[in-house]
Amino acid sequence: MIITDTHTHLYSESFDEDRSEMIQRAIDGGVTRFFIPAIDSTYTNAMLELEANYPENIFLMMGLHPTHVKENYKDELKHVEELLESRKFYAVGEIGIDLYWDKTTLGIQQDAFRHQIKLAKQYQLPIVIHCRDAFDEVFEVLEEEKADDLFGIFHCFTGTLEQAHQAISYNMKLGIGGVVTFKNGKIDQFLNEIDLKHIVLETDSPYLAPKPYRGKRNESVYVIKVLEKLSEIYNLSEAQIAEITTENSKVVFGI
């Protein structure tokens, strides 16, 4: 059984004390494919080091996270462009809009989002979207940019059934993580109305740990708890969920 974590920040400082042990726990648990989103240029070297240490398991994205779109964002986008030009990445991400922390940067977040979507189209790569308190704003950009060559993952999907269908209409898979195990997460109430072909698994570790680890540091092996919950929701075996969601990840990332 091959399990794929489509979104995990394995380079996070939260893992500095036990990174290799934490990754080994995941591999021993059957989680053998890790897709690593970028945040900004300060993490690039750590990401490349991860890939060098686990070349069979680690697949890197490149992008500028919306919460890191600041005054110097054009310099950061230049870094993204240079890296995409220089080597292979599997997605442009994570990119998008986040209005939870700072609404004043909406304009430059939109600019960075559009710019990186164009880069993804240029390199024929999927995008991985971060959306927090910004569904309308993200959908507005996707509506402008929608095309056959726009596709990817709506990471950490926490919206309504209607928003799920809208995201899927833009060729996006839904990244489902620990929130599906929360009592107040709500997505578990309608997820069985979404065809499993639109779903991929993720942790977003070290954030958003599933039950029974909620509130603690998340790690990639805990994606198994998400798998167990989806098995219950879809009334399919865990092996079937793992196989289908891993195949979905291969459709998106091409590997």
Side-chain angles (χ1 to χ4, degrees):
M1 184 166 72
I2 298 172
I3 305 168
T4 301
D5 186 351
T6 61
H7 200 107
T8 177
H9 299 269
L10 296 180
Y11 51 80
S12 167
E13 295 88 349
S14 300
F15 300 125
D16 282 354
E17 300 300 315
D18 65 342
R19 182 171 289 103
S20 59
E21 294 88 346
M22 179 271 299
I23 293 174
Q24 194 58 51
R25 276 195 293 275
I27 292 172
D28 291 344
V31 187
T32 55
R33 289 158 49 86
F34 309 90
F35 288 85
I36 313 297
I39 292 178
D40 66 16
S41 61
T42 64
Y43 290 97
T44 300
N45 287 339
M47 291 171 63
L48 295 174
E49 187 177 336
L50 260 179
E51 181 191 55
N53 290 336
Y54 299 91
E56 301 299 314
N57 308 98
I58 297 285
F59 307 97
L60 303 182
M61 311 179 202
M62 180 45 55
L64 177 61
H65 193 292
T67 62
H68 289 243
V69 175
K70 307 294 184 186
E71 294 81 2
N72 70 332
Y73 82 100
K74 290 193 174 176
D75 292 334
E76 285 288 338
L77 291 177
K78 189 79 172 168
H79 176 76
V80 171
E81 290 173 6
E82 289 169 354
L83 266 291
L84 286 171
E85 190 176 355
S86 69
R87 48 152 296 148
K88 171 70 177 172
F89 289 93
Y90 293 90
V92 176
E94 63 188 281
I95 65 176
I97 300 174
D98 187 313
L99 298 181
Y100 178 81
W101 297 106
D102 188 354
K103 292 181 174 62
T104 68
T105 58
L106 174 59
I108 57 175
Q109 285 191 54
Q110 290 169 318
D111 186 42
F113 189 24
R114 289 189 182 98
H115 185 79
Q116 292 180 97
I117 287 173
K118 288 177 170 57
L119 288 174
K121 290 177 176 179
Q122 178 184 339
Y123 289 97
Q124 299 179 303
L125 292 173
I127 61 172
V128 172
I129 297 171
H130 172 107
C131 172
R132 192 169 186 190
D133 289 359
F135 274 102
D136 290 345
E137 291 80 2
V138 165
F139 286 149
E140 182 182 341
V141 174
L142 293 178
E143 184 64 30
E144 293 170 5
E145 297 290 342
K146 67 181 178 182
D148 290 341
D149 58 351
L150 176 66
F151 65 106
I153 296 173
F154 213 105
H155 147 62
C156 191
F157 183 80
T158 56
T160 64
L161 177 60
E162 181 184 6
Q163 288 166 332
H165 285 306
Q166 191 167 353
I168 291 166
S169 77
Y170 298 119
N171 297 328
M172 299 296 144
K173 306 288 188 197
L174 306 182
I176 303 299
V179 172
V180 77
T181 70
F182 299 170
K183 275 187 178 176
N184 61 349
K186 298 182 180 177
I187 59 173
D188 61 312
Q189 297 168 22
F190 65 77
L191 206 56
N192 64 348
E193 298 181 49
I194 302 292
D195 194 308
L196 198 53
K197 71 182 180 182
H198 301 302
I199 304 295
V200 293
L201 305 183
E202 63 168 64
T203 59
D204 199 22
S205 62
Y207 315 107
L208 293 173
K211 286 174 61 183
Y213 309 105
R214 189 174 183 182
K216 299 179 180 178
R217 184 189 76 171
N218 199 4
E219 53 183 83
S220 279
V221 72
Y222 297 164
V223 78
I224 291 169
K225 294 298 177 185
V226 180
L227 181 67
E228 290 172 359
K229 184 65 176 179
L230 291 190
S231 173
E232 176 188 316
I233 289 171
Y234 284 98
N235 196 28
L236 292 171
S237 70
E238 291 170 26
Q240 286 173 297
I241 298 288
E243 181 181 4
I244 293 167
T245 54
T246 285
E247 283 305 311
N248 295 343
S249 77
K250 291 177 181 178
V251 168
V252 174
F253 295 114
I255 188 168

